[in-house]
Amino acid sequence: GETITYQKLAARAGRPGAQRAAGTANGANRMAVLVPCHRVVRKSGEVGSYGGGRWRKEWLLRHESGFLPARAVAGGSSEDSGLQDVKQADSPESLPAAG
């Protein structure tokens, strides 16, 4: 799979500019095993929220690709304090496709 932004997800759904609606729909995903919602990140490069906890989303992205942008954990919650960046990127599009 690949990591994309909420903006790109909205565009793929035929609703460019509806990234908030794409985020809401993504957050309502109850089939995470089949539809990997953790692979959708913010345009800024931050991972954003995740129903299973931000720390889990970061772990999943690292586990799948060995990569997470430095901005993803910048300013994160205390849950994130034990995480370390593996590599840095300029944009979420720089994330390699997982799997």
Side-chain angles (χ1 to χ4, degrees):
E2 67 179 304
T3 302
I4 63 170
T5 64
Y6 292 101
Q7 184 176 25
K8 284 187 179 182
L9 180 63
R12 284 186 182 179
R15 300 291 305 260
Q19 51 268 33
R20 292 185 99 175
T24 299
N26 194 52
N29 176 22
R30 298 293 173 235
M31 301 181 68
V33 174
L34 301 174
V35 182
C37 54
H38 66 278
R39 292 185 185 153
V40 184
V41 298
R42 293 180 178 170
K43 185 178 177 181
S44 67
E46 295 179 31
V47 296
S49 31
Y50 184 64
R54 181 184 166 124
W55 67 270
R56 185 171 285 126
K57 184 174 184 175
E58 291 172 348
W59 184 89
L60 286 165
L61 290 170
R62 279 198 181 100
H63 175 73
E64 289 182 345
S65 64
F67 184 88
L68 185 66
R71 285 186 297 266
V73 284
S77 69
S78 59
E79 292 179 315
D80 308 324
S81 61
L83 299 173
Q84 297 177 359
D85 292 320
V86 177
K87 295 181 182 177
Q88 294 184 8
D90 293 328
S91 67
E93 290 79 16
S94 299
L95 288 171

